[in-house]
């Protein structure tokens, strides 16, 4: 199939793009890399009257460290995250996750803002953003606001973005040098969306007890799922194999996945258990712990 007809608009600035959104509202869609939107248009799951191409808007592609965050512009390409020394230094979890996104061609075109706005619960970047308690800067013609990830993602492919709004920046908290991290997933084929994925960050104290835990799963709920009960359970406990077994079991009981032709609900739940254990083990080892 081909997309329904639309009028193509190419703003030269962020202000012009936001004015288009303010004027056109629900009749318009933003396109950047197009890796998520083009398939949707081709299947006519969305039929906007106007397509606003922000691909050449200046000032929306950057990676910088500020105020304890990695601030990443909405038009930053996935490949730029892969190649960024700042990402490698301050948020290696993000670097590890990006390598799971599609194929090299996808990462050349796909954008950070586009991935977050599409809000696929199996996508890698939303999972990392949820695990780290990141933020999204949202712009509209009359100002900006900043939302926590948990307030932004509502359900499958649905966010709190209003028709006159667009993502301007995504903020990933900087990870301590003392922390260990891990991102792992299972997909049917390399490059497919994950059946389940897990992101983990762990810090240990001098007694090899867990002092901080950040844990989220994707593909297991309608939105990226912060496993907060598991995080709370881990704090203050010795980092050993028996703890990982309990944490994995608790994680599987904390999610409510849907079944589909790619995997049943029980299979996805079992993946959450296995991947939680695997991610935590790697994170603990990278934090200098010994899994006993």
């Amino acid at each position: 199939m081909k997309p329904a007809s639309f009028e193509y608009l190419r703003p030269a600035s962020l202000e012009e793009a936001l004015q288009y959104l303010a004027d056109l509202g629900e009749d318009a869609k933003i396109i950047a890399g197009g890796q998520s939107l083009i398939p949707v248009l081709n299947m006519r799951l969305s039929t906007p009257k106007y397509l606003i191409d922000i691909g050449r808007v200046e000032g929306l592609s950057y990676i910088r460290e500020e105020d304890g965050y990695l601030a990443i512009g909405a038009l930053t390409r996935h490949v730029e995250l892969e190649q960024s020394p700042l990402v490698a230094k301050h948020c290696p979890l993000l670097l590890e996750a990006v390598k799971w996104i599609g194929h090299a061609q996808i990462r050349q075109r796909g954008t950070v803002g586009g991935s977050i706005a599409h809000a696929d619960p199996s996508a890698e970047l939303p999972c990392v953003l949820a695990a780290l308690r990141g933020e999204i800067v949202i712009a509209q013609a009359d100002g900006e606001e900043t939302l926590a990830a948990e307030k932004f993602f509502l359900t499958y492919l649905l966010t709190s973005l209003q028709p006159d709004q667009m993502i301007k920046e995504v903020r990933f908290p900087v990870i301590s040098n003392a922390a260990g991290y891990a991102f792992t997933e299972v997909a049917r084929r390399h490059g497919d969306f994950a059946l389940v994925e897990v992101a983990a960050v762990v810090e240990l104290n001098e007694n090899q007890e867990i002092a901080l835990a950040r844990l989220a799963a994707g593909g297991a709920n309608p939105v990226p799922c912060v496993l907060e009960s598991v995080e709370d359970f881990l704090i203050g406990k010795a980092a050993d194999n028996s703890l990982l077994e309990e944490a994995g079991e608790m994680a599987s009981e904390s999610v409510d996945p849907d079944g589909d032709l790619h995997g049943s609900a029980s299979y996805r739940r079992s993946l959450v258990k296995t991947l939680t254990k695997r991610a935590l083990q790697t994170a603990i080892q990278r934090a200098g712990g010994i899994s006993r």
Side-chain angles (χ1 to χ4, degrees):
M1 294 180 67
K2 297 295 182 183
S5 61
F6 55 80
E7 184 174 342
Y8 177 74
L9 304 171
R10 178 177 282 178
S13 66
L14 175 60
E15 292 74 21
E16 186 179 2
L18 294 174
Q19 193 58 55
Y20 277 140
L21 288 175
D23 294 340
L24 302 174
E26 295 181 355
D27 290 331
K29 284 283 186 183
I30 291 284
I31 185 169
Q35 302 306 291
S36 300
L37 183 59
I38 292 298
V40 171
L41 296 179
N42 283 341
M43 290 185 285
R44 301 202 178 192
L45 297 176
S46 180
T47 56
K49 294 179 181 178
Y50 302 91
L51 205 59
I52 304 172
D53 184 351
I54 63 170
R56 296 189 182 182
V57 170
E58 294 185 0
L60 290 181
S61 179
Y62 54 84
I63 302 170
R64 51 186 179 237
E65 191 275 324
E66 53 186 39
D67 301 324
Y69 289 90
L70 269 188
I72 300 176
L75 286 184
T76 305
R77 309 285 178 179
H78 297 144
V79 69
E80 295 177 78
L81 300 181
E82 286 186 275
Q83 298 170 352
S84 169
L86 281 177
V87 173
K89 178 180 179 181
H90 294 299
C91 198
L93 175 65
L94 179 58
L95 176 61
E96 192 160 281
V98 168
K99 295 176 181 179
W100 289 91
I101 297 176
H103 302 278
Q105 297 92 328
I106 298 292
R107 297 193 295 273
Q108 287 283 344
R109 292 293 305 164
T111 64
V112 172
S115 179
I116 299 299
H118 188 56
D120 191 305
S122 295
E124 290 79 7
L125 297 190
C127 184
V128 173
L129 192 69
L132 296 180
R133 309 321 196 256
E135 300 176 344
I136 302 101
V137 179
I138 297 169
Q140 57 191 69
D142 60 357
E144 298 179 2
E145 64 176 320
T146 301
L147 285 182
E150 65 182 18
K151 300 291 186 182
F152 182 78
F153 298 111
L154 300 181
T155 187
Y156 292 105
L157 308 179
L158 183 65
T159 73
S160 63
L161 273 178
Q162 298 302 304
D164 63 342
Q165 296 177 326
M166 61 174 277
I167 294 175
K168 178 182 177 182
E169 180 179 281
V170 183
R171 295 176 177 170
F172 293 87
V174 167
I175 295 176
S176 164
N177 291 334
Y181 62 90
F183 186 94
T184 187
E185 69 175 54
V186 169
R188 293 176 67 233
R189 295 179 298 264
H190 172 68
D192 282 3
F193 276 109
L195 294 174
V196 167
E197 64 201 2
V198 172
V201 176
V202 171
E203 288 186 33
L204 305 177
N205 62 23
E206 64 275 8
N207 298 319
Q208 295 287 292
E209 296 167 341
I210 296 176
L212 178 143
R214 293 286 182 263
L215 199 62
N221 273 13
V223 297
C225 176
V226 175
L227 301 173
E228 192 168 359
S229 62
V230 185
E231 295 174 344
D232 293 340
F233 166 76
L234 292 170
I235 300 300
K237 294 185 173 63
D240 57 27
N241 285 327
S242 63
L243 181 70
L244 301 189
E245 185 68 29
E246 291 183 71
E249 187 65 43
M250 182 178 290
S252 71
E253 295 171 356
S254 300
V255 298
D256 187 22
D258 291 326
D260 56 28
L261 58 87
H262 302 304
S264 66
S266 61
Y267 176 57
R268 291 177 189 269
R269 195 173 286 111
S270 71
L271 284 178
V272 170
K273 176 180 178 178
T274 299
L275 295 185
T276 296
K277 291 164 54 181
R278 186 179 300 171
L280 284 172
Q281 184 173 46
T282 300
I284 289 167
Q285 289 172 345
R286 286 173 171 171
I290 300 174
S291 186
R292 297 183 290 274

